[in-house]
Structure formats: C-alpha cells, structure tokens
Amino acid sequence: MIQIDKVEVFGWEAAIRGMRNSFNSWDKSDSRYNADSGRYEVGPADIELMDRLSRSGPSHAKFLRYINVTLDITAPRYWWAEMDTYKVGTVRNSCSTMHKVQAKEFERADFSCEHLDEESLAALDTLISVMNRARDRFNNCGKNKDDWWQMIQLLPASLNQKATVQLNYQVLQNIYFTRKDHRLDEWHTFCRWIEELPYSQLIIGKRS
C-alpha cells in the first residue's frame, strides 16, 4: 500500500535559466509564466533542449536538480527502508514512531496487509493485540519504559508511516529506472505517479 498526495512541482524558471547559461542562449528561451492558469509553461524550444540534455547523461542533465517536488507519502516501513537508499537530493520529515507509537490504538488499517492470507492475518491480529496491551499498560500504568519497548521492538515492517518528502527530477529519474520493474507493488505505483508529473518525458525519456 502506498498513498501519495499534496504534490507540488516548482523551479522551472531557474532550471531553464541555468540550463541556457552553458550556451549563452537565454534569448532563445520561450517559456513563460501564465497568469491565467497560474502555471509556468515550458515552451517548445526549451523542452527540445531539455529533452536532448536529459538523454545525454547525468552531468548534462543536472538542470533537472532545479525542478523540485514536494509531496506527502504514506507507505509501509519496508518500502521506506528502500526509499532511504536515495539520500542525495532528498529531504524527509516523518511522523515519529519513537515519540508517538503509543498515541493511538493499533488496528489492521495501520498496516499494509493486502497480500496476507487468513493464517497470516490471524498472526497480525495477535501481534496487534499484544502491542495494544503493552500500549494500555504504558498509558495507564506510569509510562513504564519496559512496556514502550514491547511496542517498539514488535512493530512489523508493514506498519504504514507518513512523511513529507522533498526531491527533484534527477532523483526521480534515478528512482524510475532502478525501481520500475521491482517486485514491490508500491514501487510500481510510485513509478506510475512519476509518469503523470508535468513534462515527465524529461524523467522517463519518452513523450507523455
């Protein structure tokens, strides 16, 4: 399970200005801010140059780093462990497990369990019950750290966690080509989201 929302994409003007610095070709730029739509619209001449550079390798495509994306992602901890591979050019502010693990009662909806069979779901329900008993003891019996440990060390990798993330188009390009054929469903969903971004051909290398 993965949920993506509150997406913002910005930095087009600086990306195009920086891209054209190498060619002293600022006068050829045909991109403009459209006051009616409230969006920055990339013109045909700029998109042609951006396409060409984005296909020419990371050093030529460094203008992609100026195109920033912020979003909220809710995903299981096993997915976040892989996402954390992409440390360069990313920022992540997550909901705190350490400080808020006891804030609400655990329930199935807190976990990515869509592929579990009945036996595995029963095991998850048992684990949830054990963690909830530890939570009740922690909240109602003096906040004993031993009870806190029962929750922290039993938390499965399927626990869903929300984070606000900042990254850029070059990071997304790396993610797309290394994860689009991954066995996790979450990566397939994430890569389909990349394909829907503005001017996504700059990332995936084909016209959208």
Side-chain angles (χ1 to χ4, degrees), residues 66-179:
Y66 289 88
I67 306 170
N68 292 282
V69 185
T70 59
L71 65 157
D72 283 358
I73 304 174
T74 303
R77 283 150 55 101
Y78 60 74
W79 183 84
W80 282 115
E82 295 194 350
M83 182 62 171
D84 283 345
T85 301
Y86 305 97
K87 289 290 188 183
V88 178
T90 65
V91 181
R92 171 184 165 194
N93 284 330
S94 303
C95 294
S96 175
T97 303
M98 293 296 112
H99 295 120
K100 301 300 289 184
V101 67
Q102 80 289 346
K104 66 175 288 296
E105 190 174 66
F106 297 103
E107 54 185 315
R108 270 196 195 180
D110 297 324
F111 302 89
S112 287
C113 55
E114 64 272 20
H115 295 297
L116 295 185
D117 59 25
E118 289 304 315
E119 182 180 14
S120 296
L121 283 172
L124 177 61
D125 288 340
T126 298
L127 184 61
I128 289 172
S129 295
V130 172
M131 291 191 297
N132 277 331
R133 288 197 293 273
R135 174 185 175 273
D136 289 341
R137 291 194 303 271
F138 180 83
N139 286 334
N140 300 316
C141 301
K143 296 190 172 6
N144 188 310
K145 194 170 181 180
D146 287 340
D147 295 320
W148 179 82
W149 276 117
Q150 307 316 302
M151 293 180 281
I152 288 295
Q153 293 197 331
L154 279 177
L155 280 177
S158 60
L159 178 71
N160 294 323
Q161 188 173 34
K162 180 179 180 178
T164 298
V165 178
Q166 180 181 22
L167 31 70
N168 61 61
Y169 267 36
Q170 193 163 59
V171 171
L172 289 171
Q173 189 177 63
N174 185 22
I175 291 173
Y176 185 82
F177 286 106
T178 56
R179 298 291 175 172

Side-chain angles (χ1 to χ4, degrees), residues 5 11 24-25 29 31 59 67 85 98 106 143 178 183 196:
D5 52 23
N24 292 348
S25 63
S29 178
S31 301
S59 61
I67 306 170
T85 301
M98 293 296 112
F106 297 103
K143 296 190 172 6
T178 56
R183 69 178 65 185
E196 297 301 317

Side-chain angles (χ1 to χ4, degrees), residues 9-13 16 29-43 46 199:
V9 182
F10 55 95
W12 294 99
E13 185 176 4
I16 292 168
S29 178
D30 57 354
S31 301
R32 299 289 183 271
Y33 177 77
N34 187 323
D36 293 331
S37 66
R39 297 180 60 184
Y40 193 80
E41 297 178 353
V42 182
D46 285 330
Y199 307 103

